[in-house]
Structures are given as structure tokens and as C-alpha cells.
Amino acid sequence: MSEYINRKDVPAIAVQDLHKYFGKNEVLKGIDFHVNQGEVVCVVGPSGSGKSTLLRCVNRLEEPTSGTIVVEGVDITDREIDLDRVRTKIGIVFQQFNLFPHLNVLKNLTLAQQRAKKRSKTEAADIARKNLAKVGLAGREESFPNQLSGGQQQRVAIARALSMDPDMMLFDEPTSALDPELVGDVLDVMRTLANEGMTMMVVTHEMGFAREVGDRLVFMDGGVVVEQGKPKEILAAPQHERTQGFLSKVL
């Protein structure tokens, strides 16, 4: 199996002719898509356009029907691939926080480190505390998820992903389940990651974040990439009729 490259001369993610069927329903219809190293790509579009399915295919949480997905030079659609190893490279944060409710914050952050990274309890805890501080939650190690707001839980989920030292982060509508007043804190953490050079693929409806932080905006509809380019340019003057119709409703 090829070794991971993690150099600037290969894309972080390269998707070619990706198709995904659920039964007879074709959700992704030949997607060609890439994310460069250190790039923040925001994927937008109406519900049912295939955005989340694309993101989940990149982490192989969904099995592509056909096509290839290459992560840092390695074809992760190869049946011989070590998926657990792939997933340590790709942090993912979901709409619902997916924390273990019966574990405190510290244990939520150390469990995967100890199992997948084989870190000692002490090392895992040190890394967890560093990342909790990074997301503004220092001192909350002993709290349980139900003692935290939705925004705090989502920041814990981000800290958990970061504790695995990923090369890139995938975000699947990370603010859509949050009350409006809690959205800003989560976006601030994502903004900090972007400023530090983290490669990010963000499925989002937060157009202000896409405009300010995104390097590229990708508009999907009907299982295809309709239009992509610099966020400010697309948001100001979308070229495609479908993009125009969507943005007229959300801006």
C-alpha cells in the first residue's frame, strides 16, 4: 500500500467521477472535486443536493458506488486500504455532536487516542486538555455532555477530532443544530483553525463564514457540482441560474 504523502504538491482530497446510489436513487452523479493542502472549501446547496453524502464518502462513512477518492496521494477506495488509518488523517465533525453521553469530556477526548493512536492515558489527557483550551473549554474536563450547551458540545467534538492530529478536517453542517446565539463560538474556533492553515471541507449554510473564511465556494444541486470559485465572487455574482436561485433565497 502506498504511504501517505502529506506534501504541498498533491491535493489533500481528490475525487474523480464519484457516483453514489441509495437503491435506485442516484445521489452523486459523477462528482469531480478536490481540496488543496491548506485550503478551506465551503460546500453549499439546497437540502438533498448530495453535499453531506459527498463529505461522508470522503471519510468512507458512505461507500461510493463508483469513482475514486484519493487522500494525500492514497486511493482510499482501494479495497485493501486500512480504513482506520485513513480516518486518523481525516477529522470529522457532525451536525449532531455524537459525544458519548455516559463519559465526561476528558474521556470523550481520550478514548480514541488511546485505542487508535495507542497513547498512554497521561499523554492522551495532556493532548485533550491542550485542545480543550484551544476551543475555549479549559477546565470543563469533568463535565458530562448534558451539562454543556449545544455550542459547547460541538466545540468538544472539534477538540476530540483535533486530538487525533488530523491532516484535514471535515465539517458536516456543524452549526445547523445550534441555537443562533451559540453559532458564533463554534465558527470562531473554525476560523482559528483556518487561520492556522488547517485543510478544511465545510458543508455549511453559513454564508458569512464562507465569504470571510473560505478559499473556494462549491455550489451543489441535484448531485452535481454546478458552480465553484472564490466565495466573494460567487456570492456577489453567481453565473449559473441554479446558483442564482438558491442564493436569492438564503442571502
Side-chain angles (χ1 to χ4, degrees):
M1 187 184 75
S2 301
E3 287 302 307
Y4 284 90
I5 296 171
N6 193 17
R7 294 199 313 255
K8 294 296 181 186
D9 56 351
V10 295
I13 302 164
V15 174
Q16 188 170 11
D17 196 26
L18 184 67
H19 294 258
K20 174 63 180 176
Y21 283 84
F22 291 103
K24 294 183 178 179
N25 182 26
E26 189 177 19
V27 177
L28 299 178
K29 303 174 181 177
I31 297 284
D32 292 309
F33 172 88
H34 73 278
V35 179
N36 293 318
Q37 302 273 359
E39 189 178 28
V40 178
V41 176
C42 294
V43 184
V44 304
S47 296
S49 59
K51 309 182 302 294
S52 292
T53 301
L54 171 60
L55 183 137
R56 291 170 68 86
C57 283
V58 167
N59 202 35
R60 289 283 306 277
L61 291 171
E62 294 289 356
E63 193 66 33
T65 304
S66 64
T68 58
I69 302 167
V70 177
V71 174
E72 295 181 342
V74 177
D75 181 359
I76 68 165
T77 48
D78 183 340
R79 294 190 182 279
E80 303 299 314
I81 200 75
D82 180 350
L83 267 184
D84 289 334
R85 186 163 176 243
V86 168
R87 288 177 179 146
T88 65
K89 298 280 179 180
I90 310 172
I92 188 165
V93 176
F94 300 96
Q95 181 176 345
Q96 303 295 340
F97 324 120
N98 290 11
L99 300 176
F100 294 113
H102 62 292
L103 298 180
N104 66 21
V105 165
L106 187 64
K107 287 181 179 172
N108 263 285
L109 267 67
T110 56
L111 187 64
Q113 291 188 65
Q114 291 175 265
R115 288 186 178 176
K117 291 278 194 179
K118 309 301 183 191
R119 288 173 177 156
S120 70
K121 187 175 180 180
T122 301
E123 183 186 12
D126 287 345
I127 290 168
R129 289 189 177 95
K130 178 190 76 173
N131 285 301
L132 284 172
K134 184 169 193 159
V135 301
L137 291 173
R140 299 307 299 264
E141 297 97 306
E142 300 303 320
S143 299
F144 284 81
N146 66 4
Q147 297 171 314
L148 303 174
S149 71
Q152 289 171 327
Q153 289 184 64
Q154 192 61 294
R155 285 186 279 151
V156 170
I158 295 172
R160 178 177 61 182
L162 291 174
S163 293
M164 299 298 287
D165 298 325
D167 290 342
M168 63 199 74
M169 291 282 288
L170 311 180
F171 293 89
D172 189 5
E173 303 210 19
T175 61
S176 61
L178 302 180
D179 292 333
E181 69 270 19
L182 302 176
V183 168
D185 289 340
V186 172
L187 293 181
D188 283 345
V189 171
M190 294 169 64
R191 193 175 286 112
T192 297
L193 291 177
N195 289 339
E196 291 174 352
M198 175 65 78
T199 303
M200 293 163 61
M201 177 180 171
V202 185
V203 173
T204 186
H205 59 273
E206 299 288 345
M207 297 300 164
F209 176 86
R211 180 189 289 111
E212 179 194 346
V213 181
D215 296 304
R216 186 151 44 97
L217 185 70
V218 174
F219 173 67
M220 286 184 66
D221 192 20
V224 300
V225 172
V226 175
E227 186 172 350
Q228 59 180 307
K230 293 188 180 300
K232 289 178 182 174
E233 292 175 5
I234 289 185
L235 293 172
Q239 299 300 301
H240 200 286
E241 186 178 342
R242 285 153 86 185
T243 319
Q244 293 166 5
F246 172 76
L247 292 177
S248 70
K249 295 186 177 85
V250 298
L251 291 179

